[in-house]
Amino acid sequence: MIVTGATSMTSAAPALSETARAKVNLTLRVLGQRVDGFHDLESVVAFADCADRLTLTPAANLSLAAYGPRAHECGEVADNLVLKAARLLSERIANLKTGVFALDKHLPVAAGIGGGSADAAAALRLLAEANGVAIDDPRLTEAARLTGADVPVCVRSEACVMTGVGESLQPLGLPAMPAVLVNPRIAVATKDVFAALGLRKGELHAGVSDVIEAIAWPKAGAPMDDWLALLADGVNDLEAPAIRIQPVIGEVLARLRATGARLARMSGSGATCFAIFSNEADALRAAQTIERDHPQWWVHAGVLS
Protein backbone atom coordinates (compact mmCIF):
# COMPACT_ATOMS: atom_id res chain seq x y z
CA MET A 1 0.00 0.00 0.00
CA ILE A 2 2.99 2.33 0.32
CA VAL A 3 4.35 4.05 -2.76
CA THR A 4 7.81 5.53 -2.30
CA GLY A 5 9.53 8.37 -4.07
CA ALA A 6 7.12 11.19 -3.20
CA THR A 7 7.87 14.13 -0.93
CA SER A 8 5.97 14.17 2.37
CA MET A 9 4.01 17.06 3.81
CA THR A 10 5.38 18.57 6.97
CA SER A 11 4.09 17.05 10.18
CA ALA A 12 2.49 20.37 11.14
CA ALA A 13 0.24 20.40 8.08
CA PRO A 14 -3.44 19.74 8.85
CA ALA A 15 -5.46 16.90 7.31
CA LEU A 16 -7.52 17.97 4.32
CA SER A 17 -10.76 16.45 3.05
CA GLU A 18 -12.78 16.54 -0.20
CA THR A 19 -15.99 14.98 -1.48
CA ALA A 20 -15.88 13.04 -4.75
CA ARG A 21 -19.36 13.42 -6.25
CA ALA A 22 -20.81 10.92 -8.70
CA LYS A 23 -20.77 12.07 -12.33
CA VAL A 24 -23.91 11.50 -14.41
CA ASN A 25 -23.96 11.70 -18.22
CA LEU A 26 -27.36 13.17 -19.06
CA THR A 27 -26.52 12.72 -22.75
CA LEU A 28 -23.58 10.99 -24.40
CA ARG A 29 -22.78 11.03 -28.11
CA VAL A 30 -19.82 9.10 -29.47
CA LEU A 31 -18.74 11.17 -32.47
CA GLY A 32 -16.14 8.69 -33.65
CA GLN A 33 -12.94 6.85 -32.87
CA ARG A 34 -9.72 8.75 -33.52
CA VAL A 35 -6.72 7.18 -35.20
CA ASP A 36 -4.99 7.04 -31.80
CA GLY A 37 -7.79 4.81 -30.51
CA PHE A 38 -9.44 7.40 -28.27
CA HIS A 39 -13.09 8.35 -28.82
CA ASP A 40 -14.35 11.88 -29.46
CA LEU A 41 -17.40 12.51 -27.29
CA GLU A 42 -20.07 15.10 -26.64
CA SER A 43 -21.78 14.80 -23.27
CA VAL A 44 -23.95 16.87 -20.97
CA VAL A 45 -22.59 16.07 -17.53
CA ALA A 46 -24.21 16.70 -14.15
CA PHE A 47 -23.14 15.73 -10.64
CA ALA A 48 -25.13 13.93 -7.97
CA ASP A 49 -25.31 14.50 -4.23
CA CYS A 50 -23.96 11.00 -3.50
CA ALA A 51 -20.20 10.81 -3.13
CA ASP A 52 -17.07 9.17 -1.83
CA ARG A 53 -14.91 11.11 0.61
CA LEU A 54 -11.12 11.45 0.38
CA THR A 55 -8.81 12.70 3.10
CA LEU A 56 -5.13 13.65 2.81
CA THR A 57 -2.99 13.49 5.96
CA PRO A 58 0.73 14.34 6.33
CA ALA A 59 3.00 11.28 6.14
CA ALA A 60 6.49 10.24 5.08
CA ASN A 61 5.39 8.72 1.77
CA LEU A 62 2.51 8.66 -0.66
CA SER A 63 0.00 5.89 0.15
CA LEU A 64 -3.69 5.04 0.01
CA ALA A 65 -6.02 3.17 2.36
CA ALA A 66 -9.60 2.39 1.35
CA TYR A 67 -12.45 1.72 3.76
CA GLY A 68 -16.23 2.10 3.79
CA PRO A 69 -19.07 -0.03 2.36
CA ARG A 70 -17.56 -0.33 -1.15
CA ALA A 71 -13.86 -0.60 -0.23
CA HIS A 72 -13.79 -4.27 -1.21
CA GLU A 73 -14.73 -3.28 -4.78
CA CYS A 74 -11.69 -1.03 -5.27
CA GLY A 75 -9.31 -3.78 -6.36
CA GLU A 76 -5.56 -3.47 -5.94
CA VAL A 77 -4.67 -0.27 -4.11
CA ALA A 78 -1.54 0.19 -6.25
CA ASP A 79 -3.76 0.45 -9.35
CA ASN A 80 -6.13 3.04 -7.87
CA LEU A 81 -6.58 6.25 -9.85
CA VAL A 82 -5.95 8.32 -6.71
CA LEU A 83 -2.32 7.18 -6.68
CA LYS A 84 -2.03 7.45 -10.46
CA ALA A 85 -3.17 11.08 -10.36
CA ALA A 86 -0.81 11.88 -7.48
CA ARG A 87 2.15 10.29 -9.28
CA LEU A 88 1.40 12.18 -12.50
CA LEU A 89 1.18 15.48 -10.65
CA SER A 90 4.42 14.68 -8.76
CA GLU A 91 6.15 14.19 -12.11
CA ARG A 92 5.11 17.70 -13.16
CA ILE A 93 5.59 19.66 -9.93
CA ALA A 94 8.96 19.36 -8.26
CA ASN A 95 8.94 18.58 -4.53
CA LEU A 96 5.18 18.10 -4.47
CA LYS A 97 3.96 17.57 -0.90
CA THR A 98 1.84 14.43 -0.60
CA GLY A 99 0.97 12.04 2.23
CA VAL A 100 -1.59 9.38 3.16
CA PHE A 101 -4.89 9.31 1.29
CA ALA A 102 -7.84 7.68 3.05
CA LEU A 103 -10.77 6.83 0.78
CA ASP A 104 -14.23 6.33 2.29
CA LYS A 105 -15.77 4.40 -0.62
CA HIS A 106 -19.55 4.56 -1.12
CA LEU A 107 -20.07 4.74 -4.89
CA PRO A 108 -20.28 1.51 -6.90
CA VAL A 109 -17.29 0.84 -9.17
CA ALA A 110 -17.33 0.20 -12.95
CA ALA A 111 -20.77 1.80 -12.83
CA GLY A 112 -20.73 4.63 -15.39
CA ILE A 113 -20.81 7.37 -12.74
CA GLY A 114 -17.09 8.10 -12.61
CA GLY A 115 -16.45 6.91 -9.06
CA GLY A 116 -12.75 6.27 -9.63
CA SER A 117 -12.39 9.43 -11.70
CA ALA A 118 -14.12 11.49 -9.01
CA ASP A 119 -11.74 10.04 -6.40
CA ALA A 120 -8.71 10.93 -8.56
CA ALA A 121 -10.09 14.42 -9.12
CA ALA A 122 -10.56 14.88 -5.38
CA ALA A 123 -6.93 13.81 -4.89
CA LEU A 124 -5.77 16.47 -7.33
CA ARG A 125 -7.86 19.13 -5.57
CA LEU A 126 -6.39 18.11 -2.22
CA LEU A 127 -2.83 18.18 -3.57
CA ALA A 128 -3.48 21.57 -5.14
CA GLU A 129 -4.68 22.92 -1.79
CA ALA A 130 -1.79 21.37 0.12
CA ASN A 131 0.78 22.83 -2.27
CA GLY A 132 -0.76 26.21 -3.05
CA VAL A 133 -1.33 25.24 -6.69
CA ALA A 134 -4.19 26.81 -8.65
CA ILE A 135 -6.87 24.36 -9.68
CA ASP A 136 -6.54 25.55 -13.29
CA ASP A 137 -2.73 25.20 -13.30
CA PRO A 138 -1.77 23.61 -16.66
CA ARG A 139 0.31 20.97 -14.88
CA LEU A 140 -2.68 19.84 -12.85
CA THR A 141 -4.89 19.93 -15.94
CA GLU A 142 -2.42 17.70 -17.78
CA ALA A 143 -2.20 15.26 -14.87
CA ALA A 144 -6.00 15.05 -14.78
CA ARG A 145 -6.24 14.38 -18.52
CA LEU A 146 -3.57 11.67 -18.40
CA THR A 147 -5.23 9.98 -15.42
CA GLY A 148 -8.48 9.39 -17.31
CA ALA A 149 -11.00 10.93 -19.70
CA ASP A 150 -13.54 11.71 -16.95
CA VAL A 151 -11.04 13.18 -14.49
CA PRO A 152 -10.95 16.78 -15.88
CA VAL A 153 -14.72 17.18 -15.60
CA CYS A 154 -14.66 15.63 -12.13
CA VAL A 155 -11.97 18.11 -11.02
CA ARG A 156 -14.45 20.87 -11.81
CA SER A 157 -17.39 18.85 -10.40
CA GLU A 158 -20.06 21.09 -11.89
CA ALA A 159 -22.52 20.75 -14.76
CA CYS A 160 -21.01 21.27 -18.20
CA VAL A 161 -20.84 20.11 -21.79
CA MET A 162 -17.82 17.84 -22.16
CA THR A 163 -16.32 17.37 -25.62
CA GLY A 164 -13.20 15.96 -27.27
CA VAL A 165 -11.76 13.13 -25.19
CA GLY A 166 -12.97 14.89 -22.05
CA GLU A 167 -10.58 17.84 -22.06
CA SER A 168 -12.95 20.56 -23.40
CA LEU A 169 -15.49 21.79 -20.83
CA GLN A 170 -18.25 24.37 -21.25
CA PRO A 171 -20.04 25.27 -17.98
CA LEU A 172 -23.84 25.00 -17.89
CA GLY A 173 -26.35 26.69 -15.58
CA LEU A 174 -28.21 23.45 -14.92
CA PRO A 175 -30.96 23.71 -12.28
CA ALA A 176 -31.19 21.25 -9.38
CA MET A 177 -33.15 18.26 -10.69
CA PRO A 178 -34.71 15.61 -8.41
CA ALA A 179 -33.42 12.24 -9.52
CA VAL A 180 -33.01 8.57 -8.74
CA LEU A 181 -29.87 6.60 -9.56
CA VAL A 182 -30.04 2.81 -9.83
CA ASN A 183 -27.23 0.31 -10.32
CA PRO A 184 -28.09 -3.41 -10.54
CA ARG A 185 -24.79 -4.26 -8.81
CA ILE A 186 -23.37 -5.52 -12.09
CA ALA A 187 -19.98 -4.14 -13.16
CA VAL A 188 -19.62 -3.20 -16.84
CA ALA A 189 -16.15 -2.62 -18.29
CA THR A 190 -16.00 0.57 -20.36
CA LYS A 191 -13.64 -1.01 -22.89
CA ASP A 192 -16.15 -3.82 -23.52
CA VAL A 193 -18.98 -1.38 -24.19
CA PHE A 194 -16.91 0.68 -26.63
CA ALA A 195 -15.83 -2.56 -28.33
CA ALA A 196 -19.49 -3.54 -28.69
CA LEU A 197 -20.19 -0.16 -30.31
CA GLY A 198 -17.98 -1.46 -33.10
CA LEU A 199 -16.14 1.63 -34.33
CA ARG A 200 -12.80 1.28 -36.09
CA LYS A 201 -9.90 3.73 -35.77
CA GLY A 202 -10.61 6.84 -37.81
CA GLU A 203 -14.30 5.97 -38.19
CA LEU A 204 -17.09 8.47 -37.53
CA HIS A 205 -20.24 7.30 -35.79
CA ALA A 206 -23.48 7.21 -37.78
CA GLY A 207 -25.60 10.28 -37.16
CA VAL A 208 -22.70 12.53 -36.23
CA SER A 209 -24.00 15.36 -38.43
CA ASP A 210 -26.81 16.16 -36.00
CA VAL A 211 -24.39 17.16 -33.22
CA ILE A 212 -21.95 19.28 -35.22
CA GLU A 213 -23.98 22.44 -34.57
CA ALA A 214 -23.75 23.60 -30.98
CA ILE A 215 -27.01 23.30 -29.07
CA ALA A 216 -28.27 26.53 -27.50
CA TRP A 217 -28.70 25.33 -23.92
CA PRO A 218 -30.99 27.32 -21.59
CA LYS A 219 -29.53 30.18 -19.58
CA ALA A 220 -28.85 29.88 -15.87
CA GLY A 221 -32.11 30.24 -13.97
CA ALA A 222 -34.24 28.69 -16.73
CA PRO A 223 -36.92 26.27 -15.48
CA MET A 224 -36.25 22.54 -15.42
CA ASP A 225 -38.89 21.97 -18.12
CA ASP A 226 -36.78 23.91 -20.62
CA TRP A 227 -33.80 21.66 -19.89
CA LEU A 228 -35.81 18.46 -20.03
CA ALA A 229 -37.23 19.38 -23.43
CA LEU A 230 -33.70 19.50 -24.86
CA LEU A 231 -32.29 16.60 -22.86
CA ALA A 232 -35.15 14.38 -24.01
CA ASP A 233 -33.95 14.85 -27.59
CA GLY A 234 -30.54 13.51 -26.63
CA VAL A 235 -29.30 9.94 -26.38
CA ASN A 236 -26.59 7.81 -24.85
CA ASP A 237 -24.90 6.04 -27.75
CA LEU A 238 -23.44 3.47 -25.34
CA GLU A 239 -26.80 2.43 -23.94
CA ALA A 240 -27.69 -0.12 -26.65
CA PRO A 241 -24.29 -1.89 -26.67
CA ALA A 242 -24.23 -1.93 -22.86
CA ILE A 243 -27.68 -3.58 -22.79
CA ARG A 244 -26.42 -6.23 -25.20
CA ILE A 245 -23.61 -7.00 -22.76
CA GLN A 246 -25.77 -6.78 -19.63
CA PRO A 247 -29.52 -7.05 -20.43
CA VAL A 248 -30.38 -6.17 -16.82
CA ILE A 249 -29.68 -2.53 -17.75
CA GLY A 250 -32.79 -2.64 -19.92
CA GLU A 251 -34.72 -3.97 -16.93
CA VAL A 252 -33.48 -1.08 -14.78
CA LEU A 253 -34.54 1.47 -17.40
CA ALA A 254 -37.98 -0.11 -17.78
CA ARG A 255 -38.41 -0.05 -14.01
CA LEU A 256 -37.46 3.62 -13.79
CA ARG A 257 -39.74 4.58 -16.67
CA ALA A 258 -42.64 2.80 -14.99
CA THR A 259 -42.39 5.10 -11.95
CA GLY A 260 -43.52 8.27 -13.72
CA ALA A 261 -40.05 9.65 -14.43
CA ARG A 262 -39.79 12.64 -16.75
CA LEU A 263 -36.61 11.21 -18.30
CA ALA A 264 -34.72 7.95 -17.79
CA ARG A 265 -31.40 7.01 -19.40
CA MET A 266 -28.18 5.13 -18.76
CA SER A 267 -25.16 7.10 -17.53
CA GLY A 268 -21.74 6.71 -19.13
CA SER A 269 -20.97 3.14 -20.15
CA GLY A 270 -23.34 1.75 -17.51
CA ALA A 271 -24.68 -0.03 -15.65
CA THR A 272 -26.01 2.87 -13.54
CA CYS A 273 -29.17 4.48 -14.89
CA PHE A 274 -30.82 7.71 -13.79
CA ALA A 275 -34.34 9.10 -13.83
CA ILE A 276 -35.40 12.73 -13.39
CA PHE A 277 -38.64 13.59 -11.60
CA SER A 278 -40.80 16.67 -11.19
CA ASN A 279 -40.12 16.92 -7.47
CA GLU A 280 -38.13 15.30 -4.67
CA ALA A 281 -41.19 13.59 -3.17
CA ASP A 282 -41.84 11.72 -6.44
CA ALA A 283 -38.17 10.74 -6.66
CA LEU A 284 -38.16 9.43 -3.08
CA ARG A 285 -41.33 7.39 -3.62
CA ALA A 286 -39.88 5.86 -6.79
CA ALA A 287 -36.62 4.99 -5.02
CA GLN A 288 -38.46 3.38 -2.11
CA THR A 289 -40.58 1.28 -4.47
CA ILE A 290 -37.56 0.10 -6.47
CA GLU A 291 -35.61 -0.69 -3.29
CA ARG A 292 -38.52 -2.75 -2.00
CA ASP A 293 -38.87 -4.71 -5.24
CA HIS A 294 -35.13 -5.06 -5.90
CA PRO A 295 -33.28 -5.06 -2.56
CA GLN A 296 -30.09 -6.27 -4.26
CA TRP A 297 -29.84 -3.11 -6.40
CA TRP A 298 -28.00 0.07 -5.35
CA VAL A 299 -30.56 2.90 -5.28
CA HIS A 300 -30.04 6.59 -4.47
CA ALA A 301 -32.67 9.34 -4.37
CA GLY A 302 -31.29 12.85 -4.47
CA VAL A 303 -30.53 15.81 -6.70
CA LEU A 304 -28.50 16.33 -9.86
CA SER A 305 -26.98 19.75 -10.47
Side-chain angles (χ1 to χ4, degrees):
M1 288 173 57
I2 300 298
V3 180
T4 60
T7 302
S8 68
M9 294 192 289
T10 64
S11 58
L16 303 172
S17 187
E18 276 276 352
T19 56
R21 294 201 294 161
K23 170 225 64 169
V24 176
N25 299 92
L26 301 179
T27 67
L28 178 56
R29 295 304 313 267
V30 180
L31 305 187
Q33 185 175 176
R34 306 185 332 181
V35 293
D36 61 8
F38 290 99
H39 291 82
D40 279 315
L41 308 173
E42 182 199 62
S43 179
V44 176
V45 178
F47 286 84
D49 55 358
C50 52
D52 296 334
R53 189 153 196 90
L54 189 67
T55 301
L56 177 61
T57 304
N61 294 290
L62 171 64
S63 66
L64 170 67
Y67 63 100
R70 294 275 182 290
H72 63 283
E73 300 176 10
C74 290
E76 291 294 327
V77 171
D79 298 328
N80 195 281
L81 292 183
V82 167
L83 293 181
K84 180 179 180 180
R87 292 188 199 107
L88 286 167
L89 191 60
S90 293
E91 291 169 5
R92 284 155 181 79
I93 299 179
N95 301 315
L96 185 77
K97 300 173 185 176
T98 62
V100 173
F101 285 107
L103 174 61
D104 184 8
K105 189 65 181 173
H106 290 259
L107 300 176
V109 303
I113 52 175
S117 296
D119 296 341
L124 290 173
R125 292 195 300 270
L126 288 170
L127 291 170
E129 183 178 356
N131 289 272
V133 174
I135 203 66
D136 59 352
D137 187 295
R139 297 168 296 180
L140 188 143
T141 301
E142 183 180 31
R145 179 179 57 81
L146 293 173
T147 303
D150 282 337
V151 178
V153 71
C154 289
V155 168
R156 183 172 291 184
S157 195
E158 61 183 23
C160 66
V161 175
M162 178 178 72
T163 53
V165 292
E167 79 285 3
S168 180
L169 306 174
Q170 173 196 339
L172 290 176
L174 192 74
M177 299 189 295
V180 174
L181 304 182
V182 178
N183 183 281
R185 304 292 282 275
I186 298 293
V188 181
T190 299
K191 62 180 179 59
D192 294 342
V193 177
F194 274 104
L197 186 63
L199 293 180
R200 297 183 300 274
K201 290 183 179 179
E203 181 181 2
L204 294 179
H205 190 248
V208 67
S209 59
D210 63 352
V211 295
I212 294 301
E213 272 190 48
I215 296 173
W217 295 102
K219 302 288 187 183
M224 187 172 72
D225 285 351
D226 291 358
W227 285 91
L228 286 173
L230 287 173
L231 291 171
D233 289 335
V235 297
N236 181 342
D237 285 332
L238 299 180
E239 190 172 285
I243 290 173
R244 290 197 297 273
I245 293 171
Q246 290 290 355
V248 69
I249 296 171
E251 182 183 345
V252 172
L253 287 169
R255 193 70 186 82
L256 285 169
R257 288 165 181 155
T259 61
R262 302 283 301 277
L263 174 68
R265 188 169 286 152
M266 189 184 80
S267 175
S269 56
T272 304
C273 300
F274 68 89
I276 297 173
F277 293 82
S278 296
N279 54 68
E280 292 185 33
D282 287 350
L284 182 59
R285 279 193 295 270
Q288 290 171 338
T289 299
I290 294 171
E291 279 186 310
R292 182 196 66 210
D293 296 343
H294 300 276
Q296 75 279 20
W297 290 359
W298 175 82
V299 181
H300 173 80
V303 175
L304 301 179
S305 61

